[in-house]
Amino acid sequence: TMAQKINEAHEHLAKAEKYLKTSFMKWKPDYDSAASEYAKAAVAFKNARQLEQARDAYLQEAEAHTSYRSYPPAALTERSLDMQRLPEAVQYIEKASVMYVENGTPDTAAMALDRAGKLIEPLDLAKAAHLYQQAAGVFENEERLRQAVELIGKASRLLVRQQKFDEAAESLQKEKNMYKEIENYPTCFKKTIAQVLVHLHRGDYVAAEKCVRESYSIPGFSGSEDCVAMEQLLQGYDDQDEELVSRVCTSPLLRYMDNDYAKLAISLKVPGGGKKKPAAAAAGDSGAEPPKEEEDEYAGGLC
């Protein structure tokens, strides 16, 4: 019956706690066995329709699975074991977050998904980006745009890192629209730069130009250093003027952007290899790689 299931769940919790205790003879918590007991407790609570307690047990299970990460004297074998278990732990956090949303605590759900994203990022960029997007969606439903846009930004950067430029372009557009909505205009300018870099890596000059043209309606953009730099970059790209493109791409404005976008700037090639190669090589001294003749085929975008 219901009472028996609840008792059973508490027994599993007690066993889990015992596995986590250390003593004079037992120096290290047994996370594996504890995780197994938390999982059993979660199922028992769920069967007894105690959803909040089930959710907490799922999260404790996830914590136990991921505790290898923070345990200082972890041996190499344990670390590799940990890497196998991380996806499983993330799955539990996702399950728990669904329950948080159902139980009316979406904030906790979004924070759990964000945390899962951070855990899995070293192992699986695509999964991490997806988790950040899910977390952003939860905040967006709550009209918590500042929190949502920060998470979309994390997803955008990971998409760029994977060279998924089509998805990154969409993600950046969403970011820019949100920053516009919360009237954070200077950040919109930076997102425009990121958009232009992504579109040019896709080989889509028209889309890049459109992003700049649309930004003229954002207060303060016209005449700003961001605007001037993007006009120059587009002109240089269109004229196949490698010297001008290199000068813009190695300027502090672009060099000090988030690392993922700075890398896009430095690796940008003009279509057709450019007309002014010797001058471009000199401009490359400020941090850009010298242009490589063989890479012309990438001018059409890497995607």
Side-chain angles (χ1 to χ4, degrees):
T1 61
M2 213 72 93
Q4 279 174 318
K5 283 171 188 162
I6 292 170
N7 280 342
E8 187 192 326
H10 283 293
E11 278 169 28
H12 288 304
L13 286 182
K15 280 184 190 168
E17 297 300 321
K18 205 171 168 186
Y19 281 125
L20 292 177
K21 279 203 173 80
T22 53
S23 65
F24 183 66
M25 299 298 286
K26 183 183 159 221
W27 291 9
K28 195 176 163 202
D30 180 353
Y31 292 117
D32 197 26
S33 303
S36 169
E37 292 299 333
Y38 282 130
K40 288 172 189 168
V43 172
F45 277 131
K46 206 170 175 185
N47 291 340
R49 297 206 177 88
Q50 303 295 308
L51 287 188
E52 286 204 23
Q53 283 167 296
R55 169 192 80 193
D56 291 342
Y58 273 131
L59 272 183
Q60 283 172 301
E61 181 188 2
E63 291 281 333
H65 273 300
T66 53
S67 287
Y68 284 104
R69 282 173 80 79
S70 55
Y71 203 80
L76 275 177
T77 50
E78 282 164 2
R79 290 235 170 111
S80 60
L81 211 58
D82 171 34
M83 286 300 160
Q84 288 162 9
R85 287 193 179 134
L86 262 177
E88 204 180 328
V90 165
Q91 219 177 326
Y92 290 121
I93 296 177
E94 281 186 282
K95 267 192 218 170
S97 73
V98 170
M99 294 173 87
Y100 280 129
V101 172
E102 284 170 1
N103 288 354
T105 50
D107 277 18
T108 317
M111 287 188 287
L113 289 164
D114 180 19
R115 184 146 182 273
K118 282 187 196 118
L119 285 172
I120 202 80
E121 205 174 295
L123 195 64
D124 185 344
L125 290 176
K127 181 68 178 171
H130 176 64
L131 287 161
Y132 293 142
Q133 285 166 332
Q134 278 184 288
V138 174
F139 276 133
E140 202 180 343
N141 286 342
E142 296 301 300
E143 295 183 2
R144 304 269 302 276
L145 295 191
R146 279 180 177 79
Q147 284 86 348
V149 77
E150 206 175 300
L151 286 153
I152 295 170
K154 284 187 184 186
S156 300
R157 289 194 293 276
L158 293 191
L159 290 166
V160 165
R161 206 174 301 169
Q162 297 168 81
Q163 300 198 339
K164 292 181 176 174
F165 293 132
D166 289 1
E167 288 175 58
E170 276 178 48
S171 188
L172 279 163
Q173 186 62 49
K174 197 167 185 190
E175 258 189 275
K176 186 164 141 185
N177 292 345
M178 270 195 200
Y179 277 117
K180 198 172 174 182
E181 208 173 319
I182 59 178
E183 299 183 357
N184 182 341
Y185 300 130
T187 307
C188 289
F189 307 167
K190 300 297 172 220
K191 296 303 157 194
T192 302
I193 296 178
Q195 282 182 308
V196 168
L197 290 169
V198 165
H199 283 308
L200 292 182
H201 270 272
R202 291 175 63 238
D204 193 341
Y205 174 85
V206 174
E209 191 186 30
K210 186 179 171 216
C211 288
V212 174
R213 214 172 41 243
E214 282 175 353
S215 297
Y216 288 126
S217 65
I218 300 169
F221 180 73
S222 189
S224 66
E225 63 168 344
D226 307 74
C227 173
V228 172
M230 288 307 95
E231 284 169 351
Q232 286 180 337
L233 180 58
L234 287 172
Q235 188 195 329
Y237 190 88
D238 200 31
D239 295 346
Q240 298 187 2
D241 181 345
E242 203 154 327
E243 184 185 358
L244 180 56
V245 167
S246 180
R247 196 163 62 236
V248 176
C249 285
T250 56
S251 67
L253 183 69
L254 274 70
R255 234 185 16 238
Y256 298 129
M257 288 182 79
D258 280 319
N259 203 23
D260 292 298
Y261 301 122
K263 281 180 179 172
L264 283 190
I266 282 173
S267 61
L268 186 64
K269 303 275 182 287
V270 301
K275 295 173 185 164
K276 304 190 178 180
K277 285 205 159 79
D285 293 347
S286 50
E289 293 170 1
K292 295 189 185 105
E293 303 262 353
E294 301 80 36
E295 287 193 13
D296 291 358
E297 68 268 25
Y298 290 126
L302 298 166
C303 210

